[in-house]
Amino acid sequence: MDNWYLLYSKPKQESRAQEHLANQGFESFVPHIHITKIRAGKHITKTEPLFPRYIFLKAACDVNLSSIRSTRGVAGFVKFGQTLAAVPEQLIHSLLNQQIALQQQAPAPVFQPGQPLEVLSGPFASLNAVFQQADGDSRSIILLNFLGQQVKLAMDNSNLVGKANINNN
């Protein structure tokens, strides 16, 4: 009978450990999430482990533990005293289903069409605007009320903030 166990990996070596465990014939699972970060003024969506440094491993009860512990990228088993941390199969199935659902979703845009915004800096600082559409990775086309007229212009996303975010601060 196979059980799911919890492994602890070396820093940022979850993928390496999974690859070497697969080479030995073991099934493993590392749930991932999509995170949007701003790097050099651009929004970048990265995939990162949901539980950094943790790997779920499916193995038989009588498996040779030393071969798993000595696998490249693996730091060791998670234990409670001398007992290996067993993970319920229902939890693994739930995480797998959520992982599949996340992979099918497209990353959400920074702003939604029609969303009220406020300009943070520049010549239009503190003026209200409305988001129209994205203009590349780091710019947006907005409608701005200026001198009694609606002006359409492109602006860097770092100069804009959604009104919902302002009211929460």
Side-chain angles (χ1 to χ4, degrees), residues 111-125:
F111 301 116
Q112 300 295 323
Q115 180 179 357
L117 306 173
E118 182 173 339
V119 181
L120 296 175
S121 61
F124 305 110

Side-chain angles (χ1 to χ4, degrees), residues 8-157:
Y8 196 60
S9 74
K10 294 179 180 175
K12 299 191 186 268
Q13 293 193 23
E14 297 92 351
S15 297
R16 180 182 202 184
Q18 270 194 295
E19 178 183 336
H20 287 281
L21 288 166
N23 290 343
Q24 296 175 46
F26 292 107
E27 182 181 348
S28 62
F29 173 56
V30 176
H32 287 83
I33 58 172
H34 300 291
I35 297 177
T36 302
K37 295 182 176 183
I38 298 176
R39 183 156 289 153
K42 292 186 179 181
H43 289 273
I44 298 172
T45 302
K46 289 181 62 177
T47 303
E48 293 184 357
L50 180 60
F51 308 112
R53 297 188 68 183
Y54 289 97
I55 301 169
F56 297 101
L57 172 75
K58 188 173 188 176
C61 299
D62 59 349
V63 71
N64 182 2
L65 301 181
S66 62
S67 68
I68 296 171
R69 275 195 310 263
S70 62
T71 302
R72 291 184 140 207
V74 174
F77 280 91
V78 175
K79 295 181 181 182
F80 299 109
Q82 295 298 318
T83 308
L84 296 178
V87 179
E89 192 152 347
Q90 298 90 340
L91 177 64
I92 299 297
H93 288 299
S94 174
L95 288 170
L96 278 168
N97 290 337
Q98 289 176 2
Q99 187 74 45
I100 291 167
L102 281 176
Q103 289 174 349
Q104 293 173 350
Q105 293 176 353
V110 178
F111 301 116
Q112 300 295 323
Q115 180 179 357
L117 306 173
E118 182 173 339
V119 181
L120 296 175
S121 61
F124 305 110
S126 75
L127 292 178
N128 294 326
V130 176
F131 178 78
Q132 281 242 287
Q133 66 186 43
D135 184 25
D137 287 341
S138 62
R139 296 177 62 83
S140 296
I141 296 176
I142 61 171
L143 285 177
L144 187 71
N145 262 340
F146 186 69
L147 299 175
Q149 293 184 356
Q150 279 200 336
V151 179
K152 189 177 197 178
L153 56 104
M155 186 169 287
D156 196 280
N157 288 342

